[in-house]
Structures are given as C-alpha cells and as structure tokens.
Amino acid sequence: MSKRALQWLGMAVVLMAAWSSPAVSIARERDDHERARQAVEAGQILPLKTILARMEREVPGEVLEVELEQQDSGVWIYEIKVLQRGGVLTKLKLDARTGAMLKTRAQRAGTRERGHERDRERD
C-alpha cells in the first residue's frame, strides 16, 4: 500500500472512531436511565427528586452533578456534588434505597480537601 493510501486509511479510522464514540456514550446513557427507572419502579432506590429534597435540608446549595451507581455488592449509591455558599464544593454519597448519608467531603477554594465518613446503616 502506498504512503498516501495509508494516510487516508488512518484518517478514515480516526473519523470512524470519533463518530462512533458519542453514539456508544448516548446508548450507555439511555441504558443507565432505563436501569435507574426500573430500580425506582421496583422499589430498590428512591427517586432522585426525593433524594434531593432530603439532601437540601442538610446540605443547601446548587447541585452541580449527580451520578447513580450500582456497586458490585448490588447496593445503589447516589453521588452528588453541591456548590455551597462561600465556594465550598461538597461531595456526597448517599444510600439510594434509604437516602442515608454515607460519606461527605467538603473542599473550599484554595484549600486541601477534608471530610468525614459516616458508618453505613444496616437493617
């Protein structure tokens, strides 16, 4: 194969990878959304609206990011980042089934991270 043909082939591979990556990401996001919806309907987790209402009382601020993850043990965890007054970024981990706070970590702009963990409540 000529050098020019190899360059075109390389560009084609790069373009195909660039075009396919967002599609894979979107499909995964749809699957994640569907899994979350099914977990709520099955009573495995609380709806995000309920979690945020409870959390707002303890950690008021602007919610920047929310993730819902299922650990290998099957436990669902909401991970939430909140920007509070004074530029404090607080990262929370909550039990998605009960809404119990599992871990908090706060960081003020220009300082090192500090935080504490709460023992997870068991039934």
Side-chain angles (χ1 to χ4, degrees):
M1 214 180 241
S2 72
K3 185 176 180 180
R4 187 159 186 82
L6 284 173
Q7 288 175 335
W8 279 104
L9 179 60
M11 287 176 31
V13 168
V14 169
L15 288 173
M16 286 173 53
W19 286 330
S20 66
S21 294
V24 170
S25 177
I26 289 169
R28 193 176 82 226
E29 287 176 16
R30 286 185 185 147
D31 289 344
D32 289 349
H33 177 76
E34 183 62 23
R35 286 181 57 217
R37 186 186 63 75
Q38 289 173 352
V40 168
E41 289 177 357
Q44 296 174 329
I45 65 173
L46 293 171
L48 180 58
K49 184 176 182 178
T50 302
I51 292 289
L52 292 177
R54 290 180 183 181
M55 184 214 66
E56 178 68 23
R57 291 189 286 267
E58 285 189 52
V59 186
E62 180 183 348
V63 175
L64 301 177
E65 183 179 339
V66 177
E67 291 182 25
L68 177 64
E69 297 179 353
Q70 189 174 24
Q71 297 181 337
D72 292 338
S73 63
V75 175
W76 289 92
I77 304 291
Y78 278 112
E79 293 184 2
I80 304 172
K81 290 182 184 176
V82 179
L83 183 60
Q84 296 185 277
R85 280 191 187 170
V88 175
L89 178 64
T90 302
K91 299 176 185 178
L92 312 164
K93 286 191 178 188
L94 297 102
D95 183 313
R97 184 178 57 81
T98 65
M101 190 84 65
L102 303 175
K103 183 177 180 179
T104 63
R105 181 174 292 155
Q107 179 179 357
R108 188 175 307 274
T111 62
R112 298 185 129 250
E113 226 172 83
R114 45 176 198 211
H116 68 278
E117 294 185 24
R118 294 186 183 174
D119 293 333
R120 197 164 122 214
E121 297 177 18
R122 300 264 182 193
D123 292 339

